[in-house]
Amino acid sequence: MKLTILIHCPDQSGIISSVTRFIHKKTGNIIYLDQHVDKEAGVFFMRLECEFENGITLSQFKQDFSELVALKYYMQWDAYKDGEKPRMAIFVSKYNHCLYDLLSRFNSGELPIEIPFILSNHPDLEYVAEQFQIPYYHVPISKDKKAEAEEKQLELLEEHQVDFIVLARYMQILSSKVIDVYPHKIINIHHSFLPAFAGAKPYHAAFERGVKIIGATSHYVTAELDAGPIIEQDVTTVSHTHSVKDFIAKGRDLEKIVLARAVQLHVDRKTIVYKNKTVIFS
Amino acid sequence: MKLTILIHCPDQSGIISSVTRFIHKKTGNIIYLDQHVDKEAGVFFMRLECEFENGITLSQFKQDFSELVALKYYMQWDAYKDGEKPRMAIFVSKYNHCLYDLLSRFNSGELPIEIPFILSNHPDLEYVAEQFQIPYYHVPISKDKKAEAEEKQLELLEEHQVDFIVLARYMQILSSKVIDVYPHKIINIHHSFLPAFAGAKPYHAAFERGVKIIGATSHYVTAELDAGPIIEQDVTTVSHTHSVKDFIAKGRDLEKIVLARAVQLHVDRKTIVYKNKTVIFS
Amino acid sequence: MKLTILIHCPDQSGIISSVTRFIHKKTGNIIYLDQHVDKEAGVFFMRLECEFENGITLSQFKQDFSELVALKYYMQWDAYKDGEKPRMAIFVSKYNHCLYDLLSRFNSGELPIEIPFILSNHPDLEYVAEQFQIPYYHVPISKDKKAEAEEKQLELLEEHQVDFIVLARYMQILSSKVIDVYPHKIINIHHSFLPAFAGAKPYHAAFERGVKIIGATSHYVTAELDAGPIIEQDVTTVSHTHSVKDFIAKGRDLEKIVLARAVQLHVDRKTIVYKNKTVIFS
Amino acid sequence: MKLTILIHCPDQSGIISSVTRFIHKKTGNIIYLDQHVDKEAGVFFMRLECEFENGITLSQFKQDFSELVALKYYMQWDAYKDGEKPRMAIFVSKYNHCLYDLLSRFNSGELPIEIPFILSNHPDLEYVAEQFQIPYYHVPISKDKKAEAEEKQLELLEEHQVDFIVLARYMQILSSKVIDVYPHKIINIHHSFLPAFAGAKPYHAAFERGVKIIGATSHYVTAELDAGPIIEQDVTTVSHTHSVKDFIAKGRDLEKIVLARAVQLHVDRKTIVYKNKTVIFS
């Protein structure tokens, strides 16, 4: 059995020693350990990967670790067994570049996940879903029936036992009704270098301001628009020779790569959220 | 005689043809031509470098070009003779990294300029000026005597026939009294990826927001703080492992390189300002 | 009619003036002009985009330009009418990431081309061709029947009137029999930062050498392996924490983006090859 | 007392647990721990920072750690006490940009080192040494007297108790006579993206090849020219518009930044060399 363990707790002396000794005693072999201390906040973070050759089960490990280590240090923690594929729903609107990119990675085996369905407020991208033979749900959003639509979304998410959601250029704002059910489990791609140009039409705003670099930001969705914990960012250069249309074209490549990296980090259990920021393990 | 010519005017058909024919008739040889059209604004921009082997003078060229070409197209334009070194004043406060970088480039002959003086609101960096044997004026700024200090600054700038000013981490805000005398001739370095984190303490704000990339921006100073036309930007990656102090250290390298590039572009006459944006020729 | 014109010829005074005057007289409006002089080699390069509102045809333009301008300056040149889509064949082997990327861009309308067919020495990727409803030819290559396979390739290319070929991780070396028919019309993606790590297994070699940055290079194919004119390169950072497998995974994203950019530049007529190098217009 | 500990040894189960338990028992607090396993080579690497509030001395720590931990795991290791400044000699020839950059960082307090002297095979940069009031030794190198010159170098290095040497664009090849005395303690900056363009005139070679990106590489010096373990690399884009002279100018900025980063990593004890590669801790 191979486990990935994510821990955070108040910082104090002896945590690493306690955790590693526990694993050693269980005859586990640590194959990766990275830790971080936020000195200002006094918080300790750790990510471990370890292998057990004996017959210990995940639930046994969890029970013992909880009693013998976690309680003592007030840890918030979880352990994930290798090979269990998280279930990822994709929400889209009309742009297909992020969707195509995620699905082709999925098809190539790059992403160890299940994709139970794609959901959209428009019918436009159903053909892409068909190309990759994934169910496509068209859930239109109108001003007066948004609540109803979100009910439908939650139903589908629950029915398909979705673990996390990727907004692959989904142009609707989720209400807290959905966000609260999936805390730090909804990944968005925003087409600017946040916190610059939050909100609508960031490429137009970047063009107007005359910036020389544009960016894309993938973050966990929180109640405040485009203000959630940042997972990944990247940028590319632009110049006066580029029109808004060029910004959008250059941005598409950024968006899909940045979103894919964020999804990969999430799937690999390399992210911990704390104080609206992320610790991203390497 | 080698000339660099910068032109902008309302866009219309025939401008390039007219300009190049004029130069050709004057037996000039065009060794560089780049042009740009802002289609939305309907403005044409051009930068030319040309060599004249006959005895034409700059003033003769200017007079003829004005009459025969510029007037017809309502051009705003200027021509600069090669070899004339612009005179650059440096304003600093207490940080020395940008100052050291500019002075060592100057000493190496990288920057074809004169540096008549360094001015500071603090005495701290006089030793650097002495190392490079450049006059250093200490002009303190206090709240109630800011106007007086700016008078002194303007006096020095005029007396030394300064062409443009570089704010090399000068921590005071210039009033329009100074800015208006040097329109698009004051280059600032701001230690963030503008428009994100304008104003004071951008590294602290970037740390607080949990960004994964930090930047630096060099721009022409206008009345509105950190909102002038951007000349050059660059970025570097950061992570949760970096403290604010690390941001500041990484940022120093960005700041000095970005400022130096902006100064080089300005000195090489590769910048045109238009509608609070820049056209940067290659 | 909108034309894109690419020119190179021995450098001399008056070329720009002659060309722009010719277009002006034909009542054409120049909407883009960029030029470059390789001073060492004494060669002049130019790219123009211009619009004609009157009824001039492409053949009429070509005849007049040839007689009145091109001959005088010994120009090698061509003019391309907007809206005519070049026909691009894709060669692949077993990796699908570049193929998926090109096809999804094609499907999104990013690339103004026709794709008459995909060809492979393996049957593996036929399912991708089917997803996008593009003909797929399986032309196996064995050591003793390579000549025969190349005959088949040439037949298909001719039959489908292919304008240029993209090797999207095609793991066979083309012989001069094919290359000579498509000079500077075959675009390859090599998974290293050339000239470092030419040839087979570049990620393994990069890992072995302990580099801190890996790259990808797109170039026109010439007789010498991985030594043709470079169109586009990009890089990404790696560290000791990355295995060869990680290099390969990070490299995939580089490869597909770099190849797509090179294809876009070629399709937009922004490349001129000269002395085994490229001039890439912006 | 604050210690930084660097360890590498054959990989096996229990190492982290043993080390962290030892430190915990000595009432030390681990404030940083990073580890890496090279699975192919079966080697374990670790870097720790820990603080001790009790009166333990460095020599006491070293003796106990050696007996109780290091021996058992066949560790190669060292422990460095905070606040002890390594002594760094700088070798230069005629280019001053790396020298200026290192000295201005030193003057600003960025680099916690001592600089006992600057050595050059030319007298040209003595003025820079004088600006910063550091001793400058001119040790000319002629073909027939190279051995003699190296004797002189070794004498100076020993006399000034130099810990490590930085070749800041020193244009002479060191013989093994010097290298063997300072194994993995001589840091060079090579002005290319190694392994591309090793040896002389890399910018000319890069220009000739028509690359779109140039780089700089800082590495530890070994007997084979430009083939030692790479510490840091970075790159910048170039185009057909850049001449060799432009490559050199753009390269200067790369060289000084990359060299400074490598020196900083070395000074911060963040590098371990193994199998002609480096492990670089974050």
Side-chain angles (χ1 to χ4, degrees):
Chain A
M1 183 178 68
K2 192 185 153 195
L3 291 186
T4 299
I5 305 165
L6 291 176
I7 296 166
H8 63 107
C9 63
D11 188 32
Q12 61 180 288
S13 187
I15 303 173
I16 301 174
S17 171
S18 292
V19 172
T20 57
R21 189 148 45 130
F22 172 84
I23 289 163
H24 192 50
K25 278 190 175 161
K26 293 279 179 194
T27 70
N29 187 26
I30 296 168
I31 53 176
Y32 170 94
L33 181 157
D34 197 6
Q35 56 83 45
H36 168 66
V37 176
D38 180 334
K39 280 171 203 165
E40 224 178 288
V43 180
F44 173 90
F45 302 86
M46 184 154 64
R47 183 177 182 275
L48 278 122
E49 294 176 14
C50 44
E51 283 171 340
F52 297 87
E53 292 189 7
N54 62 4
I56 192 169
T57 62
L58 179 58
S59 64
Q60 185 66 56
F61 176 89
K62 281 189 168 182
Q63 192 181 319
D64 291 0
F65 187 79
S66 189
E67 277 172 25
L68 299 171
V69 183
L71 267 173
K72 183 177 165 196
Y73 294 101
Y74 303 93
M75 290 180 177
Q76 289 183 262
W77 70 286
D78 213 338
Y80 306 91
K81 204 170 153 180
D82 223 45
E84 285 175 358
K85 295 183 177 180
R87 297 169 65 78
M88 171 180 115
I90 306 178
F91 284 26
V92 292
S93 289
K94 292 185 169 180
Y95 294 115
N96 66 16
H97 54 287
C98 288
L99 180 61
Y100 261 131
D101 193 61
L102 287 170
L103 294 181
S104 56
R105 286 170 198 275
F106 171 63
N107 244 26
S108 313
E110 281 183 46
L111 290 171
I113 54 171
E114 303 289 348
I115 303 183
F117 67 87
I118 296 160
L119 182 151
S120 179
N121 55 327
H122 294 290
D124 305 54
L125 297 184
E126 184 156 16
Y127 76 97
V128 181
E130 277 170 8
Q131 278 183 296
F132 289 82
Q133 294 175 302
I134 291 171
Y136 185 89
Y137 296 105
H138 175 210
V139 180
I141 310 263
S142 58
K143 257 188 191 162
D144 50 339
K145 297 205 171 170
K146 182 156 182 176
E148 211 173 295
E150 292 202 328
E151 284 299 342
K152 178 71 187 157
Q153 290 176 358
L154 285 169
E155 248 173 61
L156 284 165
L157 291 166
E158 194 178 355
E159 181 193 328
H160 288 89
Q161 294 174 282
V162 163
D163 292 304
F164 72 106
I165 303 163
V166 172
L167 309 183
R169 298 299 312 275
Y170 180 67
M171 310 299 271
Q172 292 289 325
I173 296 171
L174 295 180
S175 80
S176 58
K177 201 155 102 188
V178 177
I179 297 170
D180 290 352
V181 182
Y182 295 92
H184 305 148
K185 303 211 162 170
I186 307 173
I187 298 173
N188 185 41
I189 179 71
H190 183 73
H191 40 313
S192 86
F193 184 78
L194 289 175
F197 311 123
K201 300 224 169 219
Y203 291 129
H204 290 77
F207 179 81
E208 202 53 46
R209 179 62 186 90
V211 295
K212 301 303 185 188
I213 290 177
I214 56 171
T217 304
S218 191
H219 62 96
Y220 288 115
V221 174
T222 55
E224 194 183 339
L225 183 66
D226 298 330
I230 293 170
I231 306 168
E232 176 76 9
Q233 299 187 291
D234 207 349
V235 297
T236 194
T237 54
V238 289
S239 78
H240 66 274
T241 64
H242 295 104
S243 62
V244 173
K245 213 179 130 196
D246 296 328
F247 278 35
I248 291 169
K250 293 198 95 179
R252 272 195 296 261
D253 283 6
L254 270 183
E255 292 161 27
K256 72 187 190 188
I257 296 292
V258 168
L259 178 59
R261 283 191 208 141
V263 169
Q264 187 82 56
L265 288 167
H266 182 86
V267 167
D268 291 346
R269 317 291 186 186
K270 292 189 170 171
T271 65
I272 294 180
V273 173
Y274 184 72
K275 288 180 80 177
N276 205 43
K277 305 210 279 190
T278 58
V279 171
I280 304 290
F281 293 101
S282 65
Chain B
M1 181 177 69
K2 190 184 154 198
L3 292 186
T4 299
I5 306 166
L6 291 176
I7 296 167
H8 65 104
C9 63
D11 187 31
Q12 60 180 286
S13 186
I15 303 174
I16 301 174
S17 171
S18 291
V19 171
T20 57
R21 189 150 43 132
F22 173 84
I23 289 163
H24 192 50
K25 278 192 177 163
K26 291 280 178 192
T27 71
N29 186 27
I30 296 168
I31 51 176
Y32 170 95
L33 181 157
D34 197 5
Q35 56 83 43
H36 168 65
V37 176
D38 181 332
K39 279 171 204 165
E40 222 178 290
V43 180
F44 173 91
F45 301 86
M46 185 156 62
R47 183 177 182 277
L48 281 121
E49 294 177 14
C50 43
E51 283 171 340
F52 297 87
E53 290 189 9
N54 62 2
I56 193 170
T57 61
L58 178 57
S59 64
Q60 183 67 53
F61 176 89
K62 281 188 167 183
Q63 192 181 321
D64 292 359
F65 186 79
S66 189
E67 279 172 25
L68 300 170
V69 182
L71 266 174
K72 182 177 165 196
Y73 293 101
Y74 303 93
M75 290 179 176
Q76 288 184 265
W77 70 286
D78 213 340
Y80 306 90
K81 204 169 155 181
D82 223 45
E84 284 176 359
K85 296 184 175 178
R87 297 168 66 77
M88 171 179 115
I90 306 178
F91 283 26
V92 292
S93 288
K94 291 184 170 182
Y95 294 116
N96 66 16
H97 53 288
C98 288
L99 180 60
Y100 261 132
D101 193 61
L102 288 170
L103 294 181
S104 55
R105 286 170 197 274
F106 172 63
N107 244 24
S108 312
E110 281 184 44
L111 290 171
I113 52 171
E114 303 290 347
I115 303 181
F117 67 86
I118 296 161
L119 180 150
S120 180
N121 55 327
H122 293 290
D124 303 56
L125 297 183
E126 183 155 18
Y127 75 99
V128 181
E130 276 170 8
Q131 278 183 294
F132 289 82
Q133 293 174 304
I134 291 171
Y136 185 89
Y137 296 105
H138 175 210
V139 181
I141 310 265
S142 58
K143 257 189 191 162
D144 50 337
K145 296 205 170 169
K146 181 156 180 175
E148 211 173 293
E150 293 203 327
E151 285 297 343
K152 178 68 189 162
Q153 290 176 356
L154 284 169
E155 247 172 60
L156 284 165
L157 292 165
E158 194 178 356
E159 180 194 328
H160 289 88
Q161 293 174 283
V162 163
D163 292 303
F164 71 107
I165 304 163
V166 172
L167 309 183
R169 299 298 312 275
Y170 180 66
M171 310 299 270
Q172 291 290 323
I173 296 170
L174 294 181
S175 81
S176 58
K177 200 155 107 190
V178 176
I179 297 171
D180 290 352
V181 182
Y182 295 91
H184 306 147
K185 302 211 161 169
I186 307 174
I187 299 173
N188 185 40
I189 179 73
H190 183 73
H191 40 315
S192 87
F193 183 77
L194 288 175
F197 310 123
K201 300 225 170 219
Y203 291 128
H204 290 77
F207 179 81
E208 203 52 47
R209 179 63 186 90
V211 295
K212 301 303 183 188
I213 291 177
I214 54 170
T217 303
S218 190
H219 63 95
Y220 288 114
V221 174
T222 56
E224 193 183 339
L225 183 65
D226 297 331
I230 294 171
I231 306 168
E232 174 76 7
Q233 298 188 292
D234 207 348
V235 297
T236 194
T237 55
V238 291
S239 78
H240 65 274
T241 64
H242 295 103
S243 62
V244 173
K245 213 180 130 194
D246 296 329
F247 278 35
I248 291 169
K250 293 198 94 179
R252 272 196 295 260
D253 283 5
L254 270 183
E255 292 161 26
K256 73 186 189 188
I257 297 292
V258 168
L259 178 59
R261 282 193 209 140
V263 169
Q264 187 83 55
L265 287 167
H266 182 86
V267 167
D268 292 346
R269 316 290 186 189
K270 291 188 171 172
T271 66
I272 295 182
V273 174
Y274 183 72
K275 287 179 81 179
N276 206 44
K277 305 211 281 192
T278 57
V279 171
I280 304 288
F281 294 101
S282 64
Chain C
M1 184 178 66
K2 190 185 154 195
L3 292 185
T4 299
I5 305 166
L6 292 175
I7 296 167
H8 65 104
C9 63
D11 187 32
Q12 59 180 286
S13 186
I15 303 173
I16 301 174
S17 170
S18 291
V19 171
T20 56
R21 190 151 41 133
F22 172 84
I23 289 163
H24 192 50
K25 278 190 177 164
K26 292 280 179 193
T27 69
N29 186 26
I30 296 169
I31 53 176
Y32 170 93
L33 181 157
D34 197 6
Q35 56 83 45
H36 169 64
V37 176
D38 181 333
K39 278 172 204 164
E40 224 178 286
V43 180
F44 173 90
F45 302 86
M46 183 155 65
R47 184 177 182 277
L48 278 122
E49 294 177 14
C50 43
E51 283 171 338
F52 297 88
E53 292 189 8
N54 62 1
I56 192 170
T57 63
L58 178 58
S59 63
Q60 184 65 53
F61 177 88
K62 280 189 169 183
Q63 192 181 317
D64 291 358
F65 187 78
S66 189
E67 277 172 26
L68 299 171
V69 183
L71 266 173
K72 182 176 165 196
Y73 292 101
Y74 303 93
M75 289 178 177
Q76 289 184 264
W77 70 287
D78 213 339
Y80 305 90
K81 204 169 153 181
D82 224 45
E84 285 176 358
K85 295 184 177 181
R87 295 168 67 77
M88 170 179 116
I90 306 179
F91 284 25
V92 292
S93 289
K94 291 184 169 182
Y95 295 116
N96 66 15
H97 54 286
C98 288
L99 180 61
Y100 262 132
D101 194 61
L102 288 170
L103 294 181
S104 55
R105 286 170 198 275
F106 172 63
N107 243 26
S108 313
E110 280 185 46
L111 290 171
I113 53 171
E114 303 290 346
I115 303 183
F117 67 87
I118 296 161
L119 182 150
S120 179
N121 55 327
H122 294 289
D124 304 56
L125 298 183
E126 184 155 17
Y127 76 97
V128 181
E130 277 169 8
Q131 279 182 295
F132 288 83
Q133 293 175 303
I134 291 171
Y136 185 87
Y137 295 104
H138 175 211
V139 181
I141 309 264
S142 58
K143 256 188 191 163
D144 51 337
K145 297 205 171 168
K146 179 152 182 179
E148 213 172 293
E150 293 203 327
E151 285 298 342
K152 179 70 188 161
Q153 290 176 357
L154 284 169
E155 248 172 59
L156 284 165
L157 292 166
E158 196 179 353
E159 181 193 327
H160 288 90
Q161 294 173 280
V162 163
D163 291 304
F164 72 107
I165 304 163
V166 172
L167 309 183
R169 296 300 310 273
Y170 180 66
M171 310 300 270
Q172 293 288 324
I173 295 170
L174 294 181
S175 80
S176 59
K177 202 154 103 188
V178 177
I179 298 171
D180 290 353
V181 182
Y182 294 91
H184 305 145
K185 301 210 161 170
I186 307 173
I187 298 172
N188 185 41
I189 179 71
H190 182 73
H191 40 312
S192 86
F193 184 77
L194 287 176
F197 311 123
K201 300 224 167 219
Y203 291 129
H204 290 78
F207 179 80
E208 203 54 45
R209 179 62 187 90
V211 295
K212 301 302 184 190
I213 290 176
I214 55 170
T217 304
S218 191
H219 63 93
Y220 287 115
V221 174
T222 55
E224 194 183 339
L225 184 66
D226 297 333
I230 294 170
I231 306 167
E232 175 76 8
Q233 300 189 291
D234 207 349
V235 297
T236 194
T237 54
V238 291
S239 79
H240 66 274
T241 64
H242 296 103
S243 63
V244 173
K245 213 179 129 194
D246 296 328
F247 278 36
I248 291 169
K250 293 198 94 179
R252 271 196 296 263
D253 282 6
L254 270 183
E255 292 161 27
K256 72 187 191 189
I257 297 291
V258 168
L259 178 59
R261 281 191 211 143
V263 170
Q264 186 83 57
L265 288 167
H266 181 86
V267 167
D268 291 347
R269 317 291 186 190
K270 292 189 170 173
T271 66
I272 294 180
V273 174
Y274 184 72
K275 289 180 80 179
N276 206 43
K277 305 210 281 191
T278 57
V279 171
I280 304 289
F281 293 102
S282 65
Chain D
M1 181 178 67
K2 191 186 153 196
L3 291 186
T4 299
I5 306 166
L6 291 176
I7 296 167
H8 65 105
C9 63
D11 188 31
Q12 59 180 287
S13 186
I15 303 174
I16 301 174
S17 171
S18 291
V19 171
T20 57
R21 190 150 41 131
F22 172 85
I23 289 164
H24 192 51
K25 278 192 176 161
K26 292 281 178 193
T27 69
N29 187 27
I30 296 169
I31 51 175
Y32 169 94
L33 181 156
D34 196 5
Q35 56 84 43
H36 168 65
V37 176
D38 181 334
K39 280 171 203 165
E40 223 178 289
V43 180
F44 173 90
F45 302 86
M46 186 156 61
R47 183 175 183 277
L48 280 122
E49 295 177 15
C50 43
E51 282 171 340
F52 297 88
E53 290 189 9
N54 63 1
I56 193 169
T57 61
L58 178 57
S59 63
Q60 184 66 53
F61 176 89
K62 280 188 167 183
Q63 192 181 320
D64 292 0
F65 186 79
S66 189
E67 278 171 25
L68 299 170
V69 182
L71 266 173
K72 183 177 166 198
Y73 293 101
Y74 304 92
M75 289 177 176
Q76 288 185 264
W77 71 285
D78 213 340
Y80 305 90
K81 202 169 153 181
D82 224 47
E84 284 176 0
K85 295 185 176 178
R87 296 169 65 78
M88 171 179 115
I90 306 178
F91 284 25
V92 292
S93 289
K94 291 185 169 180
Y95 295 115
N96 66 15
H97 54 287
C98 288
L99 180 61
Y100 262 131
D101 193 61
L102 288 170
L103 294 181
S104 56
R105 286 170 197 275
F106 171 64
N107 242 28
S108 312
E110 281 184 45
L111 291 170
I113 53 171
E114 303 290 346
I115 303 181
F117 66 86
I118 297 160
L119 181 151
S120 179
N121 55 327
H122 293 290
D124 304 56
L125 298 183
E126 184 156 15
Y127 77 97
V128 181
E130 277 170 8
Q131 278 184 298
F132 288 83
Q133 293 175 303
I134 291 172
Y136 186 87
Y137 295 105
H138 174 210
V139 181
I141 310 264
S142 57
K143 258 187 190 162
D144 50 339
K145 297 205 171 167
K146 180 152 183 180
E148 211 172 295
E150 293 204 325
E151 285 298 341
K152 179 68 187 161
Q153 290 176 358
L154 285 169
E155 247 173 60
L156 285 165
L157 291 166
E158 196 179 353
E159 180 193 328
H160 288 90
Q161 295 173 282
V162 163
D163 292 303
F164 72 107
I165 304 163
V166 172
L167 309 185
R169 296 299 311 273
Y170 180 66
M171 309 300 269
Q172 293 289 324
I173 296 170
L174 294 181
S175 81
S176 58
K177 202 155 104 186
V178 177
I179 297 171
D180 291 352
V181 183
Y182 294 91
H184 304 147
K185 302 211 160 169
I186 307 174
I187 297 173
N188 186 40
I189 179 71
H190 182 73
H191 40 314
S192 86
F193 184 75
L194 287 176
F197 311 122
K201 299 224 170 219
Y203 291 128
H204 290 77
F207 179 81
E208 202 54 44
R209 180 62 186 91
V211 296
K212 301 302 183 189
I213 290 177
I214 55 171
T217 304
S218 190
H219 63 94
Y220 287 116
V221 174
T222 56
E224 193 183 339
L225 184 65
D226 297 333
I230 293 170
I231 307 168
E232 175 77 8
Q233 298 189 292
D234 207 347
V235 298
T236 195
T237 54
V238 290
S239 77
H240 66 274
T241 64
H242 295 104
S243 62
V244 172
K245 214 179 130 195
D246 296 328
F247 278 35
I248 291 170
K250 292 197 95 179
R252 272 195 296 261
D253 283 5
L254 272 183
E255 293 162 27
K256 71 187 190 189
I257 296 292
V258 168
L259 179 58
R261 283 191 209 141
V263 169
Q264 187 83 55
L265 288 167
H266 182 87
V267 167
D268 291 345
R269 316 290 185 192
K270 292 189 171 171
T271 67
I272 294 181
V273 174
Y274 183 72
K275 289 181 78 180
N276 205 44
K277 304 210 281 191
T278 57
V279 171
I280 304 290
F281 294 102
S282 64

